[in-house]
Amino acid sequence: MDWKSKNSWVQEDSMYSPKRKVNNKGSREHEHIIGSIPSLKMNRSIGYESFWGECLFYYLLEIDPLTVRYYEQPVEVIYTEMNAQYALVEKEHVPDTLVFRQNYRPHLFQVKGGNNFVEQKPHLFKASSKYAQEHGWSYSVIYPKLIPSKVQSNLILLMNYMKPREYHDAWIQEILNKMLYLKNPTVEHLAKSFSAKIDHRDILPIIYHLIFRGDLRTDIFIPVNNCSVLELGDLSKDLITYFHLEGGPFVASM
């Protein structure tokens, strides 16, 4: 599906608005875990209940060049459960995120934020998988805390360069043009190539912003810094691994 050519998301914004508010009800020892991030892709704040769970996953979605749109707490999944009186009762489960990724069918995620791999309860996994299948989506449980620590650190670093500064537009095209003939420069080398025109320290944040938005690529499996080697391209192929740590992977649209 060509989600980037979609003209309006008004219907989806209404249908997949949050079905519950984020809270720290499930936390006994760490009460101050909820928060929000500013989202460029959604043009609003996105709430999260765990920094190492939903928040880190949202960083991944913001940085992933192919993620076009995503919704937190998007749908209510009805499932049955036996109560203390041995009677079957209907309950509601709200999965964490619905993601629209370019050229892929929509994907529903449950996000786990712990240090250990803990499977989702079988009846919830089955109900959520069935719900996704009925809507033509895929479903996965994801564990952002299990992403390699260096990749986590790089995601956090790049999020600091999400928003362009006022003077960025004047230099972006020249930076990209220079990348056409510079052979795999480091971040610092590329920045210093502008020293005759501007303090190279003013170019550095633009370069990191271009990595964030998908114009430049570097190796995110080692620490990203001024010594990082650059090439034209984006991080989409590097990041796709972390979208399906359990359950079905992203599936291309038919």
Coordinates of all heavy atoms in Angstrom, one line a residue, residues 213-249:
R213 N 16.0 11.9 9.4 CA 14.8 11.9 8.5 C 15.0 11.0 7.3 O 14.1 10.9 6.5 CB 14.6 13.4 8.1 CG 15.5 13.9 7.0 CD 15.1 15.3 6.5 NE 15.6 15.6 5.2 CZ 15.3 16.7 4.6 NH1 14.6 17.7 5.1 NH2 15.8 17.0 3.4
G214 N 16.1 10.3 7.2 CA 16.3 9.3 6.1 C 17.0 9.7 4.9 O 16.8 9.0 3.9
D215 N 17.7 10.8 4.9 CA 18.5 11.2 3.7 C 19.9 10.6 3.7 O 20.5 10.4 2.7 CB 18.6 12.7 3.6 CG 17.2 13.3 3.3 OD1 16.7 13.1 2.2 OD2 16.7 14.0 4.2
L216 N 20.4 10.4 4.9 CA 21.8 9.8 5.1 C 21.7 8.6 6.0 O 20.9 8.5 6.9 CB 22.7 10.9 5.7 CG 23.0 12.2 5.0 CD1 23.9 13.1 5.8 CD2 23.6 11.9 3.6
R217 N 22.6 7.7 5.7 CA 22.7 6.4 6.4 C 24.1 6.3 7.1 O 25.1 6.7 6.5 CB 22.4 5.2 5.5 CG 22.4 3.9 6.2 CD 22.4 2.7 5.2 NE 22.6 1.5 5.9 CZ 23.7 0.9 6.3 NH1 24.8 1.6 5.9 NH2 23.8 -0.2 6.9
T218 N 24.1 5.6 8.3 CA 25.3 5.3 8.9 C 25.1 3.9 9.6 O 23.9 3.5 9.7 CB 25.8 6.4 9.9 OG1 27.1 6.1 10.3 CG2 24.9 6.5 11.1
D219 N 26.1 3.4 10.2 CA 26.0 2.1 10.9 C 25.5 2.3 12.3 O 26.1 2.9 13.1 CB 27.4 1.4 10.9 CG 27.3 0.0 11.5 OD1 26.3 -0.4 12.0 OD2 28.4 -0.7 11.3
I220 N 24.2 1.9 12.5 CA 23.6 2.1 13.8 C 23.9 1.0 14.8 O 23.5 1.0 16.0 CB 22.1 2.3 13.8 CG1 21.4 1.0 13.2 CG2 21.7 3.5 12.9 CD1 19.9 1.0 13.4
F221 N 24.7 0.0 14.4 CA 25.1 -1.0 15.3 C 26.4 -0.7 16.1 O 26.8 -1.5 16.9 CB 25.3 -2.3 14.5 CG 24.0 -2.7 13.7 CD1 23.9 -2.5 12.4 CD2 22.9 -3.2 14.4 CE1 22.8 -2.8 11.7 CE2 21.7 -3.5 13.7 CZ 21.7 -3.3 12.3
I222 N 27.0 0.4 15.8 CA 28.1 1.0 16.6 C 27.7 2.4 17.0 O 26.8 3.0 16.4 CB 29.4 0.9 15.8 CG1 29.3 1.8 14.5 CG2 29.8 -0.5 15.5 CD1 30.6 1.9 13.8
P223 N 28.3 2.9 18.0 CA 27.9 4.3 18.5 C 28.0 5.3 17.3 O 29.0 5.4 16.6 CB 28.9 4.6 19.6 CG 29.3 3.3 20.1 CD 29.3 2.4 18.9
V224 N 26.9 6.1 17.2 CA 26.8 7.1 16.2 C 27.5 8.4 16.8 O 27.0 8.8 17.9 CB 25.4 7.4 15.8 CG1 25.3 8.6 14.8 CG2 24.8 6.2 15.0
N225 N 28.5 8.9 16.2 CA 29.1 10.1 16.6 C 29.8 10.8 15.5 O 29.6 10.5 14.3 CB 30.1 9.8 17.7 CG 31.1 8.7 17.3 OD1 31.6 8.7 16.2 ND2 31.4 7.7 18.2
N226 N 30.7 11.8 15.7 CA 31.3 12.5 14.7 C 32.3 11.7 13.8 O 32.7 12.1 12.7 CB 32.1 13.7 15.3 CG 31.2 14.8 15.8 OD1 29.9 14.7 15.7 ND2 31.7 15.9 16.3
C227 N 32.6 10.5 14.3 CA 33.5 9.6 13.5 C 32.7 8.6 12.7 O 33.3 7.8 11.9 CB 34.4 8.8 14.4 SG 35.6 9.9 15.4
S228 N 31.4 8.7 12.7 CA 30.5 7.8 12.0 C 30.7 8.0 10.5 O 30.8 9.1 10.0 CB 29.1 7.9 12.4 OG 28.9 7.5 13.7
V229 N 30.8 6.9 9.7 CA 30.9 7.0 8.3 C 29.5 7.1 7.6 O 28.6 6.4 8.0 CB 31.6 5.8 7.7 CG1 31.7 5.8 6.2 CG2 33.0 5.7 8.3
L230 N 29.4 8.0 6.6 CA 28.1 8.3 6.0 C 28.0 7.8 4.6 O 29.0 7.7 3.9 CB 27.9 9.8 6.0 CG 27.8 10.5 7.4 CD1 27.9 12.0 7.2 CD2 26.6 10.1 8.1
E231 N 26.8 7.6 4.2 CA 26.5 7.3 2.8 C 25.0 7.8 2.5 O 24.3 8.0 3.5 CB 26.6 5.8 2.4 CG 25.6 4.9 3.2 CD 25.8 3.5 2.8 OE1 27.0 3.0 2.9 OE2 24.8 2.8 2.5
L232 N 24.7 8.0 1.2 CA 23.4 8.4 0.9 C 22.5 7.1 1.1 O 22.9 6.0 0.8 CB 23.3 8.9 -0.5 CG 23.9 10.2 -0.8 CD1 24.0 10.5 -2.3 CD2 23.2 11.3 -0.2
G233 N 21.3 7.3 1.7 CA 20.4 6.2 1.9 C 19.7 6.4 3.3 O 19.8 7.5 3.9
D234 N 19.0 5.4 3.7 CA 18.3 5.5 5.0 C 18.5 4.3 5.8 O 19.1 3.3 5.4 CB 16.8 5.8 4.8 CG 16.1 4.7 4.0 OD1 16.2 3.6 4.4 OD2 15.4 5.0 3.0
L235 N 17.8 4.3 7.0 CA 18.0 3.2 8.0 C 16.9 2.1 7.9 O 16.9 1.3 8.8 CB 18.1 3.8 9.4 CG 19.2 4.8 9.7 CD1 19.0 5.4 11.0 CD2 20.6 4.2 9.6
S236 N 16.1 2.2 6.9 CA 14.9 1.3 7.0 C 15.3 -0.2 7.0 O 14.6 -0.9 7.7 CB 14.0 1.6 5.8 OG 14.7 1.5 4.5
K237 N 16.3 -0.6 6.2 CA 16.6 -2.0 6.2 C 17.3 -2.4 7.5 O 17.2 -3.6 8.0 CB 17.6 -2.3 5.0 CG 16.9 -2.2 3.7 CD 17.8 -2.5 2.6 CE 17.1 -2.5 1.2 NZ 18.0 -2.8 0.1
D238 N 18.0 -1.5 8.2 CA 18.6 -1.8 9.5 C 17.6 -1.9 10.6 O 17.8 -2.7 11.5 CB 19.6 -0.7 9.8 CG 20.7 -0.5 8.8 OD1 21.4 -1.5 8.5 OD2 20.8 0.6 8.2
L239 N 16.5 -1.1 10.5 CA 15.6 -1.1 11.6 C 14.5 -2.2 11.5 O 13.9 -2.5 12.5 CB 14.9 0.3 11.6 CG 15.8 1.5 11.9 CD1 15.0 2.8 11.8 CD2 16.5 1.4 13.2
I240 N 14.2 -2.7 10.3 CA 13.1 -3.6 10.1 C 13.3 -4.8 11.0 O 12.3 -5.4 11.5 CB 13.0 -4.1 8.7 CG1 11.7 -4.9 8.4 CG2 14.2 -4.8 8.2 CD1 10.5 -4.2 8.7
T241 N 14.5 -5.2 11.4 CA 14.7 -6.4 12.2 C 14.0 -6.2 13.6 O 13.5 -7.2 14.1 CB 16.2 -6.6 12.5 OG1 16.9 -6.8 11.3 CG2 16.5 -7.8 13.4
Y242 N 13.9 -5.0 14.1 CA 13.4 -4.8 15.4 C 11.9 -4.6 15.5 O 11.3 -4.2 16.5 CB 14.1 -3.6 16.0 CG 15.6 -3.8 16.0 CD1 16.4 -3.0 15.3 CD2 16.2 -4.9 16.7 CE1 17.8 -3.2 15.2 CE2 17.5 -5.1 16.6 CZ 18.3 -4.3 15.9 OH 19.7 -4.5 15.8
F243 N 11.2 -4.8 14.3 CA 9.7 -4.6 14.3 C 9.0 -6.0 14.5 O 7.8 -6.0 14.6 CB 9.3 -4.0 13.0 CG 9.5 -2.6 12.9 CD1 10.5 -2.0 12.1 CD2 8.6 -1.7 13.5 CE1 10.7 -0.7 12.0 CE2 8.8 -0.3 13.5 CZ 9.8 0.2 12.7
H244 N 9.7 -7.1 14.6 CA 9.1 -8.4 14.7 C 9.9 -9.3 15.5 O 10.4 -10.3 15.0 CB 8.7 -9.0 13.3 CG 9.8 -9.0 12.3 ND1 10.8 -9.9 12.3 CD2 10.1 -8.1 11.4 CE1 11.6 -9.7 11.3 NE2 11.2 -8.6 10.7
L245 N 10.0 -9.0 16.8 CA 10.8 -9.9 17.7 C 10.0 -11.1 18.2 O 10.5 -12.0 18.7 CB 11.3 -9.1 18.9 CG 12.2 -7.9 18.6 CD1 12.7 -7.2 19.8 CD2 13.3 -8.3 17.7
E246 N 8.7 -11.1 18.0 CA 7.8 -12.3 18.3 C 6.6 -12.1 17.4 O 6.1 -11.0 17.3 CB 7.4 -12.4 19.8 CG 6.5 -13.5 20.1 CD 6.0 -13.5 21.5 OE1 6.5 -12.8 22.3 OE2 4.9 -14.2 21.7
G247 N 6.1 -13.2 16.9 CA 4.9 -13.1 16.1 C 5.2 -12.8 14.7 O 6.4 -13.0 14.2
G248 N 4.2 -12.4 13.9 CA 4.4 -12.3 12.4 C 5.2 -11.0 12.1 O 5.1 -10.0 12.7
P249 N 6.1 -11.1 11.1 CA 6.8 -9.9 10.6 C 5.9 -9.0 9.8 O 4.8 -9.4 9.5 CB 7.9 -10.5 9.8 CG 7.3 -11.7 9.2 CD 6.4 -12.3 10.3

